[in-house]
Amino acid sequence: MQHDPNPSRMGRKVVISTVGETAEAYVPPPLPPKPPVNLTEMYAKIDQANLAVGRLDGVAPILPGTPLFCIRTFERKQSCRLRLKACSRLFRISCFMK
């Protein structure tokens, strides 16, 4: 097993070999991290994220069902395609008639 000479806070990749084949593996950094993570700076962002998730959770019951929404979107798309085909046929016929 070869170790990366420059370990980072994100961990490192090592090359492993088994049965004659090589592969890369991820090795996380040791805990606790050095320098330690300062959570007090992150509390405001965590609170904002929690509020956003709460708003999404509150709105979720009034949203249309995903399958129904997808079907309606597909139907609209198909009807637009059919209209375009019909218009292009009419245009070709009208040009042919002139």
Side-chain angles (χ1 to χ4, degrees):
M1 193 185 275
Q2 297 173 341
H3 290 282
D4 189 358
N6 299 323
S8 70
R9 277 183 76 135
M10 300 301 294
R12 64 186 188 279
K13 286 193 282 184
V14 294
V15 178
I16 58 171
S17 176
T18 179
V19 193
E21 294 184 23
T22 59
E24 291 184 343
Y26 170 76
V27 178
L31 292 175
K34 293 178 187 171
V37 177
N38 187 359
L39 290 178
T40 55
E41 296 173 359
M42 299 172 78
Y43 285 143
K45 296 287 184 188
I46 292 170
D47 284 341
Q48 287 176 352
N50 280 335
L51 286 172
V53 169
R55 284 194 299 267
L56 284 174
D57 189 43
V59 173
I62 62 172
L63 292 175
T66 304
L68 183 62
F69 178 74
C70 291
I71 289 170
R72 286 184 181 164
T73 304
F74 178 74
E75 287 173 349
R76 276 191 230 121
K77 190 175 181 181
Q78 289 301 100
S79 69
C80 287
R81 284 183 182 165
L82 290 174
R83 286 181 196 158
L84 284 173
K85 282 184 181 180
C87 288
S88 67
R89 285 182 187 152
L90 286 174
F91 180 73
R92 276 190 244 137
I93 290 171
S94 67
C95 289
F96 182 70
M97 295 265 192
K98 289 182 182 181

